[in-house]
Amino acid sequence: MTASLEQLRRCHFAVDLGAARTRVYVKGAGLVVDQPSAAAVNTRTGALIAVGEFAEKMTGRTPHYIRVVRPVSGGTVVDIEMAQRMLRHLLGDKIRRQLRRKPFLRAAACTPHDADPLAQRAAIETLVGLGARRVELVDTLIAAAVGCGLPVERPEATMIMVCGAAATQVAVLSLGSIVTAERIPVGGEAVDHAIVQHLRHEHELMLPSQSVRPLQVALSGNGLTPQGPASTEIHGRDVATGLARSVQVDTAAVRDAIETPLTAVLDGIGRVLRECPPDLVADLADRGIMMVGGSALLPGFDQMLRQATGMPVHIAERPDICAAQGLGAMLEGKIEPLTLDPLGA
């Protein structure tokens, strides 16, 4: 269910609710919110203590009566009330007052490819609770393709890969629509989890996956490529004694540990290409794959895809905010639809 460009031009703001970060684009003001999708709640009183960056820093460091919750999981709103409270605080009083002045407030929201009706309904309810009278839904794949400047409206194949925290979405687009697509339930969080499990089993070291980004430490330099550093030092907690400990980790072993989740992504790309018409696959041999999303910045991931597919692989200039930028371009009317006039008799 994707709204038309004419409907999107009437919208006043757009929200990209992701598993890792929430982004809000306001028409005429640009990207006003880019914060982690996290909220800290006092379980005794139900009061909201912090949202966004501050709540993210509190993960794993709070007393027992303060809980850090994530109202969005896998790109789907799982707690509508908490998502509304989080968005209200992220927007702030000034922007909310500006939006409330609109006589008929319209909003747009990104939804994952093939999102079920329940997930679509949850996204709509979340924005209706913020005062929106009408909510338009846009497929994340199309929004991201528009945001990174791909010519989606032309009769030529473009392949996009949205690397999110909870899932990876791959699609071939042509004439402004999705020709074939695949949603793989493997994202940046799965890669983090694979590294955490490897360190626990091989080195008996516990590393909290949410409060520490192990990828930035273990895969420094050239990361997934063999040209990267041979070993790196990791700090964590000893499984047996509970004391702080540092170990030297072989990065080659880390690369092997994360190959399993990344192989699932490569299988998904293969399935999309097999279902795609041959003419469009021929276009992709020259154009290649465009990577967007926060996990696209995983060091060496693009090189791994090049070797596996034999196709050119590009990373967008700002891969993390492409979907929000695409929604903004549609709101501002910067995208011209391809008009297919029926031929006269």
Side-chain angles (χ1 to χ4, degrees):
M1 179 181 173
T2 298
S4 69
L5 287 172
E6 189 57 43
Q7 291 170 321
L8 288 169
R9 283 197 190 101
R10 298 177 192 157
C11 293
H12 302 101
F13 73 104
V15 177
D16 176 20
L17 274 170
R21 297 184 78 85
T22 294
R23 298 174 179 91
V24 181
Y25 187 101
V26 175
K27 197 172 186 177
L31 195 66
V32 296
V33 172
D34 184 2
Q35 295 275 345
S37 304
V41 185
N42 186 328
T43 55
R44 292 174 179 170
T45 63
L48 202 60
I49 296 170
V51 293
E53 294 279 1
F54 191 40
E56 178 92 342
K57 288 176 183 174
M58 293 167 71
T59 305
R61 295 178 170 86
T62 60
H64 66 91
Y65 62 90
I66 294 176
R67 194 160 56 98
V68 178
V69 296
R70 294 181 176 272
V72 184
S73 175
T76 303
V77 179
V78 292
D79 187 339
I80 295 172
E81 185 188 350
M82 188 54 67
Q84 289 172 351
R85 292 173 71 184
M86 181 185 76
L87 277 170
R88 283 193 199 103
H89 282 80
L90 288 176
L91 282 169
D93 293 336
K94 185 180 176 183
I95 297 171
R96 280 167 51 212
R97 276 198 300 270
Q98 289 174 359
L99 293 174
R100 275 202 298 264
R101 292 194 194 107
K102 310 292 182 186
F104 191 87
L105 187 63
R106 290 172 178 259
C110 273
T111 54
H113 179 67
D114 282 347
D116 56 54
L118 199 62
Q120 293 179 352
R121 190 71 201 163
I124 292 170
E125 289 289 335
T126 301
L127 298 190
V128 166
L130 291 177
R133 303 284 295 279
R134 184 181 172 90
V135 179
E136 308 292 353
L137 298 181
V138 182
D139 197 304
T140 304
L141 289 163
I142 293 177
V146 169
C148 63
L150 289 178
V152 290
E153 72 283 352
R154 295 183 192 166
E156 300 162 358
T158 53
M159 190 170 191
I160 188 157
M161 184 167 139
V162 180
C163 310
T168 300
Q169 302 173 69
V170 186
V172 175
L173 310 175
S174 181
L175 286 172
S177 298
I178 295 171
V179 178
T180 177
E182 182 88 19
R183 187 168 182 266
I184 307 135
V186 172
E189 290 173 356
V191 175
D192 283 1
H193 182 69
I195 293 177
V196 169
Q197 291 299 106
H198 168 75
L199 293 173
R200 186 185 178 103
H201 295 312
E202 297 297 322
H203 300 277
E204 296 184 350
L205 196 75
M206 284 188 70
L207 198 66
S209 60
Q210 289 185 341
S211 58
V212 177
R213 293 290 295 171
L215 291 175
Q216 308 306 319
V217 184
L219 299 177
S220 55
N222 292 323
L224 296 177
T225 60
Q227 292 77 30
S231 65
T232 186
E233 191 176 23
I234 300 284
H235 307 281
R237 192 181 82 186
D238 191 282
V239 172
T241 64
L243 300 174
R245 186 160 66 90
S246 301
V247 294
Q248 284 289 331
V249 177
D250 182 15
T251 51
V254 174
R255 284 198 298 274
D256 292 340
I258 64 177
E259 267 185 11
T260 303
L262 293 182
T263 303
V265 175
L266 295 176
D267 291 344
I269 293 172
R271 285 193 295 273
V272 168
L273 291 173
R274 282 195 295 273
E275 293 171 10
C276 195
D279 291 351
L280 294 180
V281 176
D283 288 348
L284 295 174
D286 299 327
R287 295 175 179 275
I289 305 169
M290 178 65 79
M291 294 175 68
V292 302
S295 301
L297 298 171
L298 181 65
F301 190 19
D302 54 333
Q303 192 169 332
M304 182 182 173
L305 286 177
R306 278 190 207 101
Q307 291 172 351
T309 62
M311 294 162 59
V313 178
H314 316 282
I315 301 176
E317 191 175 341
R318 289 291 308 277
D320 50 338
I321 61 169
C322 277
Q325 284 180 330
L327 281 174
M330 294 177 193
L331 260 63
E332 305 283 4
K334 294 177 182 175
I335 308 300
E336 289 299 323
L338 179 70
T339 53
L340 297 173
D341 295 324
L343 298 174

